[in-house]
Amino acid sequence: IGEAPRPAAAIEPGRILDGARLAAEAAALPTLAAAPVSALPPALRPPAPLCGSDEIRIQNYAARIAGSVGVKPADDLGLFTADGHATARLAPVLLAMSSVELGALRASPALVAAAIARAEAERGAARQQADAAP
């Protein structure tokens, strides 16, 4: 109780990022690959699969993406016109894909709209450059 608090040790960025030290510490850790999954602590075990098989997982993914634009999984999503421009269906599909892939970290509608606009602008600039070439 009567002791004065010790000053905290200064953080040395060079030591934290020292590759040789990190490699040495990593080498001293036990290899997880050598242990059977059942021997691992529960926090280090891989999660149980959510779907029975890859086929079911892929079908569920396809249904979610197709449903975002009101079509069936086997139907053409119609994301681009014949000349390569994005259709109005591209944004909902990208939003659905990011939701499936990233969950709570999914892309916002504004980000998707900006990405589509940027791709269209770059495509237009590339076409103008190709048309201007001799």
Side-chain angles (χ1 to χ4, degrees), residues 46-75:
L50 297 176
C51 298
S53 71
D54 279 344
E55 183 64 28
I56 292 170
R57 183 180 56 79
I58 291 167
Q59 287 176 3
N60 289 340
Y61 185 87
R64 177 96 180 262
I65 301 309
S68 71
V69 289
V71 298
K72 297 176 184 168
D75 295 342

Side-chain angles (χ1 to χ4, degrees), residues 27-134:
L29 293 172
T31 303
L32 294 178
V37 172
S38 60
L40 294 174
L44 295 178
R45 292 180 189 157
L50 297 176
C51 298
S53 71
D54 279 344
E55 183 64 28
I56 292 170
R57 183 180 56 79
I58 291 167
Q59 287 176 3
N60 289 340
Y61 185 87
R64 177 96 180 262
I65 301 309
S68 71
V69 289
V71 298
K72 297 176 184 168
D75 295 342
D76 180 4
L77 295 175
L79 303 179
F80 300 96
T81 63
D83 61 348
H85 290 285
T87 67
R89 290 181 164 188
L90 182 59
V93 166
L94 291 176
L95 289 168
M97 288 174 66
S98 82
S99 177
V100 169
E101 297 290 337
L102 304 172
L105 299 176
R106 66 185 168 269
S108 69
L111 178 65
V112 170
I116 293 170
R118 181 177 174 187
E120 286 289 318
E122 289 176 1
R123 185 180 174 284
R127 175 164 291 192
Q128 285 179 348
Q129 190 176 25
D131 290 345

Side-chain angles (χ1 to χ4, degrees), residues 6-12:
R6 291 185 228 163
I11 297 174
E12 300 174 34

